[in-house]
Amino acid sequence: MTAIDVTSHPPDQTPDSQTPVARTGRRLAFRYTPWLFMAPAIIFFVLYVVIPIGRSMVLSLYKWDGLGEKLFIGFDNYRALFHDPQFYTALVNNFWWLVFFLLSVPMGLAIALFLNQTVFGIRLIKSLFFFPFVISQVVVGMVFSWFYEPNFGLLGHIYRWFGAEPIALLADDRFVTFGIIFAGLWPQTAYTMILYLTGLNSLRPELIEAARIDGAKRFKLFWHVILPQLRPASFIAVVVTVIGALRSFDMVSVMTKGGPYGSSTVLAYYMYETALSEYGYRMGYGAAIAVILFLIMMVYISYFVYRMTKNERGM
Amino acid sequence: MYPLPIQKRHQTVRFTYYVALPIFCLLWLIPLLAVIATSVRPMGDLNGGNYWGLPSSFDLVKNYSEIFTNGPLGLYMLNSLKVTIPTVIGTIILSSLAGFALANYEFRLNKWVFMFFVAGNFVPFQILMIPVRDFTLKIGLYDTSLGLIFFHIAFQTGFSTLFMRNFIRELPRELVESARVEGLSEWKIFRYIILPLVRPAVASLALLEFTFVWNDFFWSLVLTQSKYTQPVTAGILALNGQYSSAYNLMSAAALCAALPPIIAFFLLQKHFIAGLTLGGGRE
């Protein structure tokens, strides 16, 4: 507690000992009011988020089938992870997710620039572009797996149209992850697009006019005048995309169940599979995977939260 | 205005734009259009390999009534509603209370509590999975709507509190201060001054939460199992097994499952987008 007290800023008013009794009462009441308002939210949050994080960390040091006795085994789960080829596959796939999912940021920006006009029907078109984001990922995943189906899917048709033999994308361990990421890009791009459309709405026209009068050429205008003003939008777009890439579960689960032979698995799915698979529950091992995923995410989360709160004026 | 309004550009550019816009829009929506087309195809089309041509007959009523009468889709959708609506209400109550506290009072841990809610919002589900499932089993709520509702309320409260706090902070502070001078209790200030003012934010938030919770798949898998509680996202996968190669029925079912958020979005579009950007914590 003391560590927190030192860093929090405005020193809490005057010491209670110097204030008259009546005022102390009111001040005390005032002190507890915010906590009363926050109590329900905090209780739920602690019960379902904070405590489980701690319990998962502890559990990762145990061997447990979900029913019987828990057996303490120290860091054995983590040691086993480092020799688990499936874990490395998941890690590498998560890396590809991160890299290629970020394509949705420039793609969203490009579409936003394309749509930021005032022509007839543009509002409808904007919402049509946005709406993949509203659909459940389960449905998106299903639709894309039909697409990739080599015999009757659209992809097969395109291949044959070019005279090539269609490949079963989702059954090929070389391409399967990229096929899933591509499907994921559809809703994600819609999301970043909408963030950029709002960003474009709050551009400052006088800056753009001034730059145009100064004769700034297209690319320079975009790079030096427009992009810097879009930074808040870019920041949020990157945040939600990175988090989305690391959280990817639905698509993998629906499209391949991590297959063929575990080649398209990601940490989120591998964890679920280990902990609750039909081949028996390995809770401790699953918890260890979850902890690793959590630690990777914490790196980003702390940076994002730091950036988000830095700009807040002190309360 | 950036880019330069198309009306000010050269005629050829303008013309190209007008042609490109609808084409591009159609290309973007191919996945959806394909599902819509498939959902009205007769079975004969699929057996005959006509997956991408025009449907040979328009079996809208037949296919859609079949999925509702001959399978549990209606039940799954009802299950989703039973989880989604209470969650939205619960989340809004908890987060407007907490958001009000964070926006209006200066206390030592304010910033820390706020950060704690923001950070919790980004946590991967997997780190919560085993303990939450365990806890839900222990309190006897496994495979019940209430079990899902409790978890969703708890998790969504992080994002929603951030959202409500940002909104309430933008309200003029004098309102609260003058009410205090008048001697109104803090609860009454919240109830009669703040709550009526945050209505637009509540609309946006409700819509966003509705979409998030309706589309949740992971927790439906982890916390439910029977078809009497399983929400439609998980249920539709079970249907996928049942209908196997009846892609027309599967497409119809998928569209129905996706429909409620789509309807909500088109009805309340403005609120939706306002919510998404405010909640993103505009700097």
Side-chain angles (χ1 to χ4, degrees):
Chain A
M1 278 309 246
T2 32
I4 292 169
D5 289 346
V6 171
T7 40
S8 83
H9 37 321
D12 206 10
Q13 289 101 34
T14 42
D16 283 344
S17 56
Q18 290 178 6
T19 40
V21 183
R23 283 182 64 201
T24 311
R26 182 167 165 77
R27 186 153 288 170
L28 260 171
F30 233 78
R31 253 190 166 167
Y32 293 115
T33 333
W35 296 100
L36 285 177
F37 276 109
M38 292 186 302
I42 290 184
I43 290 171
F44 264 85
F45 206 68
V46 167
L47 219 52
Y48 276 99
V49 179
V50 180
I51 293 178
I53 293 176
R55 284 193 58 202
S56 279
M57 288 182 169
V58 174
L59 191 62
S60 72
L61 306 176
Y62 284 82
K63 188 183 162 99
W64 187 40
D65 62 1
L67 299 164
E69 281 292 294
K70 291 177 191 151
L71 181 70
F72 184 80
I73 53 168
F75 284 94
D76 277 5
N77 282 325
Y78 292 95
R79 260 178 231 124
L81 263 185
F82 286 111
H83 298 289
D84 179 354
Q86 190 65 72
F87 172 69
Y88 286 105
T89 311
L91 212 56
V92 170
N93 282 339
N94 261 126
F95 173 75
W96 290 128
W97 266 92
L98 205 58
V99 172
F100 286 99
F101 219 43
L102 278 169
L103 284 178
S104 66
V105 177
M107 276 160 51
L109 174 60
I111 298 179
L113 288 171
F114 180 68
L115 294 181
N116 196 31
Q117 294 287 348
T118 40
V119 298
F120 177 74
I122 196 73
R123 278 196 51 176
L124 176 68
I125 290 187
K126 279 179 190 169
S127 22
L128 288 176
F129 267 88
F130 177 61
F131 105 110
F133 176 72
V134 190
I135 310 177
S136 116
Q137 297 217 349
V138 176
V139 173
V140 175
M142 267 168 31
V143 173
F144 271 85
S145 24
W146 300 337
F147 253 58
Y148 293 149
E149 219 287 337
N151 297 315
F152 58 80
L154 191 63
L155 194 70
H157 280 279
I158 295 173
Y159 266 85
R160 277 188 286 271
W161 201 57
F162 283 107
E165 192 53 37
I167 49 160
L169 197 78
L170 294 182
D172 189 318
D173 59 6
R174 290 168 300 172
F175 307 120
V176 59
T177 293
F178 303 101
I180 305 173
I181 299 174
F182 183 77
L185 279 175
W186 192 46
Q188 190 65 24
T189 303
Y191 192 3
T192 57
M193 176 208 75
I194 210 75
L195 294 173
Y196 275 119
L197 272 178
T198 353
L200 285 171
N201 253 331
S202 52
L203 289 181
R204 291 167 57 195
E206 71 276 9
L207 283 181
I208 303 171
E209 280 319 305
R212 276 188 182 135
I213 289 167
D214 283 350
K217 284 288 164 244
R218 271 180 206 166
F219 181 74
K220 274 196 165 164
L221 176 70
F222 174 70
W223 194 258
H224 295 292
V225 181
I226 305 299
L227 262 192
Q229 290 189 66
L230 288 175
R231 261 176 73 181
S234 302
F235 174 69
I236 301 168
V238 169
V239 172
V240 295
T241 307
V242 167
I243 302 287
L246 290 173
R247 270 195 182 162
S248 53
F249 171 89
D250 296 10
M251 294 275 186
V252 175
S253 168
V254 171
M255 293 176 78
T256 62
K257 290 193 179 298
Y261 307 109
S263 59
S264 66
T265 200
V266 287
L267 288 175
Y269 188 76
Y270 186 43
M271 183 276 163
Y272 168 79
E273 203 186 23
T274 328
L276 294 178
S277 82
E278 52 238 83
Y279 311 111
Y281 293 177
R282 295 172 68 199
M283 298 290 193
Y285 199 58
I289 303 172
V291 170
I292 301 270
L293 178 62
F294 177 69
L295 292 179
I296 296 175
M297 271 179 119
M298 271 320 278
V299 175
Y300 294 96
I301 296 172
S302 4
Y303 173 68
F304 297 149
V305 172
Y306 167 74
R307 278 275 315 256
M308 277 170 99
T309 43
K310 199 182 69 174
N311 298 341
E312 296 277 334
R313 278 156 291 129
M315 285 274 312
Chain B
M1 185 86 177
Y2 185 87
L4 199 64
I6 203 78
Q7 289 82 353
K8 289 189 189 166
R9 302 289 289 268
H10 191 268
Q11 210 170 353
T12 33
V13 180
R14 208 159 50 201
F15 182 73
T16 322
Y17 186 78
Y18 287 133
V19 176
L21 194 60
I23 294 180
F24 202 56
C25 190
L26 280 182
L27 280 177
W28 182 251
L29 293 177
I30 280 184
L32 176 79
L33 298 174
V35 184
I36 294 177
T38 311
S39 76
V40 299
R41 273 178 208 287
M43 204 56 212
D45 270 15
L46 301 179
N47 294 333
N50 177 15
Y51 285 97
W52 296 93
L54 284 174
S56 64
S57 68
F58 189 69
D59 282 6
L60 178 93
V61 179
K62 183 169 173 289
N63 288 351
Y64 281 83
S65 56
E66 170 136 11
I67 52 167
F68 278 102
T69 49
N70 207 355
L73 182 73
L75 189 60
Y76 287 138
M77 290 184 71
L78 195 68
N79 294 340
S80 278
L81 271 185
K82 279 198 286 197
V83 171
T84 310
I85 303 230
T87 302
V88 170
I89 296 172
T91 309
I92 283 173
I93 295 174
L94 293 201
S95 64
S96 45
L97 286 168
F100 170 71
L102 286 174
N104 266 287
Y105 301 100
E106 292 173 17
F107 54 100
R108 286 171 186 219
L109 297 178
N110 187 312
K111 212 177 167 185
W112 290 91
V113 175
F114 177 60
M115 266 163 74
F116 161 88
F117 277 126
V118 176
N121 190 26
F122 294 134
V123 157
F125 289 153
Q126 281 69 21
I127 191 104
L128 312 177
M129 184 184 100
I130 300 171
V132 166
R133 186 174 173 277
D134 223 28
F135 179 67
T136 308
L137 273 165
K138 247 180 221 141
I139 56 176
L141 292 180
Y142 180 76
D143 203 24
T144 64
S145 300
L146 200 60
L148 270 177
I149 293 168
F150 278 175
F151 174 78
H152 282 312
I153 289 182
F155 194 82
Q156 297 301 335
T157 293
F159 169 77
S160 310
T161 301
L162 158 75
F163 185 100
M164 293 305 286
R165 167 204 179 263
N166 284 355
F167 190 88
I168 295 172
R169 256 175 68 133
E170 297 298 313
L171 300 174
R173 285 208 89 138
E174 301 81 56
L175 279 174
V176 174
E177 264 144 33
S178 58
R180 253 178 219 150
V181 173
E182 297 286 319
L184 236 64
S185 74
E186 296 300 309
W187 169 254
K188 283 197 170 140
I189 292 176
F190 170 74
R191 175 70 191 76
Y192 295 108
I193 297 188
I194 299 297
L195 265 195
L197 290 173
V198 296
R199 243 181 244 154
V202 168
S204 306
L205 188 59
L207 192 56
L208 273 180
E209 288 301 334
F210 180 83
T211 312
F212 291 162
V213 177
W214 182 277
N215 288 340
D216 160 68
F217 174 60
F218 184 75
W219 294 102
S220 309
L221 279 187
V222 173
L223 296 182
T224 62
Q225 93 196 128
S226 76
K227 69 175 178 187
Y228 299 102
T229 42
Q230 199 145 54
V232 72
T233 40
I236 200 156
L237 273 193
L239 286 181
N240 207 358
Q242 186 188 328
Y243 291 136
S244 63
S245 61
Y247 286 97
N248 50 351
L249 298 185
M250 221 28 243
S251 299
L255 277 177
C256 289
L259 209 55
I262 295 180
I263 294 175
F265 165 62
F266 274 100
L267 286 181
L268 297 156
Q269 213 189 111
K270 239 163 96 190
H271 285 299
F272 197 97
I273 289 166
L276 212 56
T277 37
L278 181 71
R282 259 162 102 176
E283 287 178 66

